[in-house]
Amino acid sequence: MQKMLLAVDRFSTGCGKFTAWAVLLLTLLISWEVFSRYVLNKPHAWVLDAQIMLYGVLFMMAGAYTLAKNGHVRGDVLYGFFQPRTQASIDLILYIVFFLPGIIALTWAGWDFANASLAIREQTFNADPLPVYPFKFVVPVAGFILLLQGVVEIVRCVICLQTGQWPSREQDVEEVDVDKLKEMVHVKDSDIEALDVYVTRKGGAA
C-alpha cells in the first residue's frame, strides 16, 4: 500500500516539476516582449494572452504537487496541536464533504468546457489569435491528477486512524531551517559568537 501511495506522490511531483518550466517560459517571454516593445518598438498583441495561459497552466498543475507535499495552507491554527488521529479525522471529513465533490465537479465541468472549445476551435480575440482549446484541456487533466492525489490523501487518513501515525511522504525541496542546519554541521551558538568576536577584533586591528 505504501508503495502505491508513494508512486502517486511521485507522479504528482513529476507533473508539477514538468509544468514548473512554465516559469522559465514566462520569464523569457515577458523579457523578450519588454525588449521588443520598448527597444524595437514592435509590441505583439498575442503575448499577453500567452502569458495568461502559461500562468494558468502553472497554477492549475501545482495543485496536486502541493497536496502531495502537504503544502496547502491550513486555516485552523489549532490543527498542529492535535494528535495525529484527530488530525486524520478532521482531514477525512473535509476531504469527503468538500474536496471530493468540488474536484469531481471541476474535472467534469472542465472536460465539457474543453470539448466545447475544441468543437468550435476557440481562439483569442486579438489581431494575432492563439488557439484556446489546448489550454482548456489543462483544467480536466489537472483536476484528475488532483483527484487522484486526493484519494491517496484519504487513504493516508484511514491508515493514520488505524495506526495513530501519518504514513511517510517523499521529501522535496524545503525552506532552510537554521537550527537543523546547525545540527548538520555541528555548530553551536557559542561557536558563532566566538567567530563574531574574532572577526570584530581582526577588523579593529586592521
Side-chain angles (χ1 to χ4, degrees):
M1 177 63 73
Q2 180 65 10
K3 289 182 178 180
M4 184 195 72
L5 300 181
L6 294 177
V8 176
D9 284 350
R10 286 192 291 270
F11 176 69
S12 298
T13 300
C15 292
K17 288 184 174 181
F18 176 76
T19 53
W21 286 99
V23 174
L24 178 61
L25 293 177
L26 272 169
T27 304
L28 294 175
L29 181 62
I30 294 172
S31 300
W32 173 72
E33 176 62 12
V34 169
F35 177 81
S36 180
R37 178 183 295 267
Y38 294 104
V39 178
L40 304 179
N41 196 29
K42 292 180 62 178
H44 302 85
W46 57 269
V47 170
L48 179 60
D49 292 326
Q51 292 173 17
I52 294 172
M53 287 188 280
L54 282 173
Y55 178 76
V57 171
L58 182 65
F59 178 82
M60 291 296 296
M61 295 299 292
Y65 170 87
T66 307
L67 186 58
K69 304 307 174 188
N70 198 27
H72 285 287
V73 177
R74 299 186 186 276
D76 189 352
V77 295
L78 300 177
Y79 180 90
F81 295 99
F82 295 149
Q83 294 296 319
R85 278 197 173 95
T86 305
Q87 293 177 343
S89 299
I90 295 172
D91 285 356
L92 185 60
I93 293 171
L94 294 177
Y95 275 122
I96 294 174
V97 175
F98 295 105
F99 178 87
L100 287 180
I103 299 304
I104 290 174
L106 171 69
T107 307
W108 189 281
W111 180 255
D112 287 342
F113 286 138
N115 279 286
S117 179
L118 175 63
I120 62 173
R121 297 297 190 272
E122 185 179 4
Q123 296 180 330
T124 56
F125 294 96
N126 58 49
D128 301 311
L130 295 176
V132 175
Y133 53 90
F135 293 94
K136 284 200 172 181
F137 275 99
V138 172
V139 177
V141 170
F144 174 78
I145 299 173
L146 185 55
L147 180 61
L148 181 63
Q149 185 64 47
V151 171
V152 166
E153 299 306 317
I154 290 175
V155 174
R156 282 196 168 101
C157 291
V158 174
I159 293 175
C160 183
L161 287 173
Q162 293 173 343
T163 64
Q165 297 292 331
W166 284 107
S168 62
R169 296 175 182 271
E170 287 214 338
Q171 299 299 315
D172 199 359
V173 178
E174 297 180 358
E175 293 184 16
V176 175
D177 188 316
V178 176
D179 292 328
K180 289 183 179 179
L181 185 60
K182 289 178 182 178
E183 292 178 4
M184 289 173 58
V185 296
H186 307 291
V187 173
K188 301 178 181 178
D189 291 336
S190 57
D191 298 328
I192 297 176
E193 292 174 0
L195 180 61
D196 288 340
V197 172
Y198 175 78
V199 171
T200 302
R201 287 177 177 176
K202 293 292 289 186

